[in-house]
């Protein structure tokens, strides 16, 4: 069976977990703390990053969430997530890249640093000025999701796609860390409630990161 090396608040691992579940692929979780720089993770992925997806029986080791999702798309027929015409697939990939890079850089990464790493590893208080700027940038990203949902059924078009899972994975981590304020974002909030209510999302929402409690409403699909 596949083993996914990850930690609960890794947004890229969450995207892979959602893709695996949507496609009905069985997997188990193997806990990694990439910030510890352990040799075992570097042996699996020379970049030292999670996620890594490994099948010890084949043996086959895949690293980088986009490479992993593309592999799953090419090898599992069920529930295509990069679908449609070439232009539609390009739009899905554009949005996946945007959430993986811009949203992560502007919002998820600073939230993880300020509210997870400083608490668990560095043992220093968060920088409130930086957190305010992160929340401001989160609003800009949510404005764009509002616009997409005003104009499309799902983020990339008429079909549910990997773009929705990439975005929801990033938002779910930022939300766990208190970085999402839905005020003024009815469209984005409605879309996220639908994503949260999918069976593939349930295991993510009930999982906890030790030492960091999730805020009220985080795991409630109606909230
Ligand atoms: N492009 C990579 C990014 C992976 C990544 O940045 N993973 C983070 C965790 S969210 C990591 O392992 N960071 C190393 C650290 O925290 O020291 C992917 O899509 O898989």
């Amino acid at each position: 069976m596949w083993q996914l090396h990850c930690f609960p608040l890794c947004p890229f691992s969450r995207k892979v977990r959602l893709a695996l579940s949507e496609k009905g692929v069985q997997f188990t979780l193997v806990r990694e703390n990439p910030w510890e720089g352990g040799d075992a993770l570097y042996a699996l992925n020379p970049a030292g990053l999670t996620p890594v997806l490994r099948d010890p029986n084949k043996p086959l080791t895949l690293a980088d969430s986009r490479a992993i999702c593309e592999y799953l798309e090419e090898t599992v027929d069920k529930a295509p997530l990069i679908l449609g015409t070439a232009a539609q697939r390009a739009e899905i990939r554009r949005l996946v890249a945007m959430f993986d890079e811009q949203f992560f850089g502007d919002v998820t990464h600073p939230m993880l640093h300020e509210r997870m790493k400083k608490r668990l590893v560095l043992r220093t208080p968060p920088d409130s000025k930086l957190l305010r700027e992160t929340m401001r940038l989160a609003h800009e990203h949510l404005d764009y999701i509002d616009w997409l949902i005003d104009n499309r059924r799902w983020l990339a078009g008429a079909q549910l796609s990997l773009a929705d899972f990439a975005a929801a994975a990033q938002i779910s981590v930022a939300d766990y860390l208190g970085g999402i304020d839905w005020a003024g974002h009815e469209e984005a909030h409605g879309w996220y409630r639908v994503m949260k209510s999918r069976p593939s999302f349930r295991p993510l929402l009930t999982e906890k990161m030790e030492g960091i409690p999730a805020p009220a409403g985080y795991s409630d699909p109606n909230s």
Side-chain angles (χ1 to χ4, degrees), residues 31-71:
R31 178 59 189 266
E32 299 283 352
N33 291 334
W35 52 90
E36 288 172 359
D39 291 345
L41 181 59
Y42 276 91
L44 294 175
N45 178 9
L49 306 173
T50 55
V52 173
L53 185 65
R54 180 170 155 71
D55 184 342
N57 299 319
K58 286 195 172 148
L60 178 61
T61 303
L62 306 170
D64 186 90
S65 67
R66 270 189 261 174
I68 295 169
C69 289
E70 295 275 350
Y71 174 90

Side-chain angles (χ1 to χ4, degrees), residues 7 10-12 34-35 48-51 64-66 100 104 112 117:
F7 63 96
C10 171
F12 304 103
W35 52 90
L49 306 173
T50 55
D64 186 90
S65 67
R66 270 189 261 174
D100 283 2
F104 178 71
L112 280 167
K117 273 199 193 158

Side-chain angles (χ1 to χ4, degrees), residues 99 103 137-155 163-164 167-169 171-172 175 180-197 201 220-223:
F99 287 106
F103 192 102
L137 291 171
H139 277 296
E140 286 187 5
H141 285 279
L142 293 176
D143 280 341
Y144 184 55
I145 295 178
D146 287 337
W147 182 85
L148 288 173
I149 293 299
D150 259 347
N151 289 279
R152 302 166 171 189
R153 172 73 186 88
W154 298 96
L155 295 190
D164 298 280
I171 289 172
S172 69
D175 193 32
I180 299 293
D181 170 11
W182 293 110
H185 300 290
E186 280 314 307
E187 293 86 353
H189 198 182
W191 160 84
Y192 186 60
R193 283 200 199 96
V194 172
M195 295 303 291
K196 263 172 125 178
S197 66
F201 231 94
D220 179 357
N222 300 314
S223 159

